[in-house]
Amino acid sequence: MKKIIFTLCVALMATFSFARNFDGTEKIYLKANAVSWWIDANAAQRAVLNNETSVIGVIEDADRYIYAFTIPAGDYTTIRFERAENAEAAAWNVTGDIVIPAEGDYVTAFGQNSTEATWDTYVPAEPAVFTTHNLTITNNTGWDNFYVYAWGDKDAFGTWPGSTSTTLEFEDIDGAVNLHLIMHNNVGEGQDGDRRVLFDITEARDYSLIVTDQGAYEQGAPEPVYTTYHLYASNQTTWEVFDLYAWGNPNDAFGAWPGTTNPATTTIDGVVCNVYDFTVVEGATIEMHLIFHNNVGEGQEGDHRQLYDITETRDYKITVRDDGIIEGLAGESTIEENTAVKVKSVKQIINGQIFIHRNGKTYNALGAEVGRDAILVETSR
């Protein structure tokens, strides 16, 4: 008898579970990025009340990925959130039927196919405060054309190519600013004659810049000392296209992707090599990450690339091959697998390392040219 009474009590509790009354103007808010794949501005966000009444959500706060659902007048016990292609389409993703609490209107955490959720009280974000600052530029570049473009928080000076004015204004947002300036002469990027200087604005204040052909610095600061270094690269790959891109500091040193496609060349000790110049401000940290590639989409069939890091302010001499990059310049005749010409070579060992004499020069096992002060060990063809 007691068991029957207990079962009836449970059934009655389920039947008469709490229902929250809504007056038709109240909203329930959903923090959509609580589950990463629910962030999709092109998808419809739905709420299903009591497993029957459907409401389409609208974006309440785009920066925080918060959707608002205006709840129709009535009493409701559960809410289920769904994401779909459009208002009528079948759901891509769903929660379980989540119990609506007596208090709280903001779901800050939820799970796929789960009835568990975290509720809070929604507090609208404070309106952003925008403060205007001045940017004044003294153009000492000598370029025929001079443009200022900015990216970061927004296109502060218009879409590319930007503004030709040297007296500009920009805004911070709640005291924060993140603008990356590109002063340029509006010649196609990477094209012959293309000139550009970079400067970052990261403080909410006025700026007065002096821009030269080599760089930009603030009025009143000592003029930076610039030093140009050279990267000499012997191309011993079998690629039909041989491009070089660099990212890091300085960034885009050889132009935006795909980088430099037609560099100058020179001959050093009989080896023809490409010449890439990079300029560094005295005292600055250098960390350039080089990508030699054949300009085929990454991961696609036929894509080839070799990587190399520059971390010292000096000239570099390297050889780029299909199987890697080695220090020093090596021509085709120094790399045995790259030539069909059979030449006489002499193998030597210095402190356990193999060196090869060929055509009057000495190379290590990787093909890089070295000195000839070694002990003769073996002679081969």
Side-chain angles (χ1 to χ4, degrees):
M1 185 66 179
K2 289 182 180 181
K3 184 176 180 180
I4 295 173
I5 293 174
F6 175 76
T7 304
L8 287 172
C9 288
V10 172
L12 287 170
M13 287 176 65
T15 303
F16 297 105
S17 59
F18 169 79
R20 181 166 161 182
N21 179 261
F22 290 82
D23 62 12
T25 64
E26 298 165 282
K27 297 178 180 179
I28 287 180
Y29 301 89
L30 174 71
K31 186 176 178 62
N33 65 339
V35 174
S36 60
W37 60 80
W38 284 59
I39 304 173
D40 187 348
N42 297 317
Q45 303 281 357
R46 285 195 301 249
V48 181
L49 300 154
N50 289 355
N51 200 29
E52 59 182 10
T53 303
S54 181
V55 179
I56 298 299
V58 296
I59 294 178
E60 178 76 16
D61 186 333
D63 292 335
R64 294 188 292 168
Y65 301 101
I66 296 173
Y67 285 80
F69 302 85
T70 301
I71 308 302
D75 297 330
Y76 302 100
T77 58
T78 63
I79 185 169
R80 181 175 70 249
F81 296 105
E82 301 181 346
R83 187 177 76 96
E85 183 176 6
N86 54 58
E88 290 76 30
W92 288 333
N93 308 99
V94 299
T95 67
D97 289 316
I98 300 167
V99 173
I100 300 174
E103 295 181 351
D105 59 359
Y106 180 26
V107 176
T108 61
F110 61 94
Q112 180 86 351
N113 300 316
S114 174
T115 59
E116 299 294 325
T118 301
W119 291 79
D120 202 344
T121 300
Y122 177 70
V123 178
E126 291 291 331
V129 176
F130 298 89
T131 304
T132 301
H133 305 278
N134 297 314
L135 170 63
T136 304
I137 296 175
T138 300
N139 175 15
N140 291 340
T141 62
W143 304 339
D144 291 336
N145 299 301
F146 185 84
Y147 289 81
V148 184
Y149 174 73
W151 63 275
D153 292 334
K154 56 182 176 180
D155 292 343
F157 311 132
T159 57
W160 185 268
S163 173
T164 58
S165 176
T166 54
T167 303
L168 299 159
E169 293 182 342
F170 65 93
E171 293 179 326
D172 71 53
I173 305 173
D174 293 332
V177 61
N178 182 34
L179 287 177
H180 309 283
L181 306 186
I182 304 176
M183 280 73 71
H184 64 100
N185 63 345
N186 202 26
V187 173
E189 189 162 13
Q191 305 282 327
D192 187 30
D194 172 40
R195 303 299 302 166
R196 56 190 63 207
V197 169
L198 310 180
F199 187 87
D200 289 342
I201 290 180
T202 57
E203 298 179 6
R205 58 178 174 86
D206 293 343
Y207 281 79
S208 181
L209 302 182
I210 296 175
V211 182
T212 70
D213 184 56
Q214 291 186 304
Y217 59 98
E218 293 197 56
Q219 194 86 248
E223 182 174 358
V225 177
Y226 299 94
T227 304
T228 298
Y229 298 94
H230 311 286
L231 167 66
Y232 301 98
S234 172
N235 174 18
Q236 296 303 317
T237 70
T238 58
W239 311 340
E240 294 183 4
V241 175
F242 187 80
D243 294 343
L244 171 60
Y245 174 73
W247 63 275
N249 182 34
N251 198 43
D252 288 353
F254 309 124
W257 185 269
T260 297
T261 60
N262 188 28
T265 60
T266 191
T267 301
I268 300 177
D269 294 332
V271 178
V272 177
C273 53
N274 295 345
V275 182
Y276 306 93
D277 295 339
F278 57 96
T279 301
V280 181
V281 179
E282 186 176 276
T285 300
I286 182 171
E287 186 176 347
M288 287 200 305
H289 308 283
L290 276 52
I291 305 175
F292 292 92
H293 63 99
N294 64 340
N295 202 19
V296 173
E298 186 168 8
Q300 310 229 351
E301 184 178 0
D303 171 41
H304 297 288
R305 55 190 65 203
Q306 295 293 349
L307 309 181
Y308 186 84
D309 288 343
I310 286 181
T311 57
E312 299 176 6
T313 50
R314 62 176 176 85
D315 292 343
Y316 284 78
K317 295 179 181 179
I318 61 175
T319 297
V320 185
R321 308 191 304 187
D322 287 348
D323 59 351
I325 294 177
I326 60 175
E327 299 288 339
L329 298 175
E332 290 184 3
S333 63
T334 70
I335 304 174
E336 192 163 340
E337 60 269 31
N338 282 355
T339 177
V341 180
K342 294 186 177 181
V343 298
K344 181 169 182 174
S345 65
V346 178
K347 290 184 180 179
Q348 297 179 308
I349 295 178
I350 304 175
N351 295 328
Q353 298 184 44
I354 296 176
F355 295 86
I356 300 172
H357 288 311
R358 184 184 286 119
N359 292 341
K361 295 183 179 180
T362 301
Y363 306 92
N364 63 18
L366 295 176
E369 185 177 352
V370 295
R372 297 195 59 185
D373 51 347
I375 299 175
L376 181 61
V377 174
E378 178 184 355
T379 300
S380 63
R381 61 169 179 77

